[in-house]
Amino acid sequence: MIISFVVVCIVAGLETIDLYRIFGTYGERFETVINLLIFPATPIIYGWIVKDKIGAIIVGTVPIFILLFFGNLFFGNLIYKDGLNISRFLTILVYAVSLATLGGLAGYFSSKRELKYLIISIFFGIMWTPVFLSGIN
């Protein structure tokens, strides 16, 4: 659970640092690459090193849920004056579940610590990126 918290803090921290000033025009690209790679890579690396199946699944699922739901709750259009936007909530739920499933499966298979499962895990990690990009409006 601590690793999940660290992932959320890294992603949130990148939003607060002015990477453009540090890296110039490459700052925005650097932030994008980190955000794209940290979510699918963390459960793979964690599962491979620690061999904890449940922990690897948690690392693959919890951070994306936290960022999608809290981000949309506080900064998105999830709640209107009249109440909850049900269609937006369901869209976010399906999107988050698909990303969490891919991340969790990547962590689960990498925790088996065999080459064939690592290849499967990397496949799920690679599939995470187009699913993530499909949800960007």
Side-chain angles (χ1 to χ4, degrees):
M1 200 62 155
I2 293 172
I3 300 296
S4 298
F5 178 71
V6 169
V7 169
V8 171
C9 288
I10 288 171
V11 172
L14 284 174
E15 296 297 323
T16 61
I17 298 171
D18 188 7
L19 292 173
Y20 185 76
R21 188 168 30 143
I22 296 170
F23 295 107
T25 57
Y26 296 105
E28 291 177 16
R29 294 182 192 142
F30 177 73
E31 179 184 351
T32 304
V33 169
I34 294 295
N35 285 336
L36 276 177
L37 294 180
I38 196 166
F39 287 109
T42 304
I44 294 170
I45 295 168
Y46 179 84
W48 184 261
I49 292 173
V50 179
K51 297 187 234 178
D52 176 21
K53 289 178 179 63
I54 295 173
I57 292 169
I58 290 172
V59 168
T61 58
V62 170
I64 197 68
F65 265 108
I66 289 173
L67 287 174
L68 283 176
F69 278 103
F70 285 114
N72 277 290
L73 182 65
F74 295 117
F75 303 111
N77 54 359
L78 191 57
I79 297 180
Y80 291 130
K81 294 177 187 175
D82 301 334
L84 183 67
N85 183 349
I86 298 296
S87 68
R88 177 78 177 154
F89 176 78
L90 292 175
T91 303
I92 294 168
L93 182 65
V94 169
Y95 182 58
V97 166
S98 62
L99 289 172
T101 300
L102 289 170
L105 286 171
Y108 173 76
F109 281 109
S110 70
S111 68
K112 292 185 177 231
R113 193 112 192 225
E114 292 181 30
L115 183 60
K116 62 184 175 184
Y117 293 120
L118 180 62
I119 292 169
I120 294 170
S121 177
I122 291 171
F123 172 75
F124 283 125
I126 290 171
M127 289 306 301
W128 191 94
T129 303
V131 172
F132 177 76
L133 292 175
S134 72
I136 296 175
N137 293 340

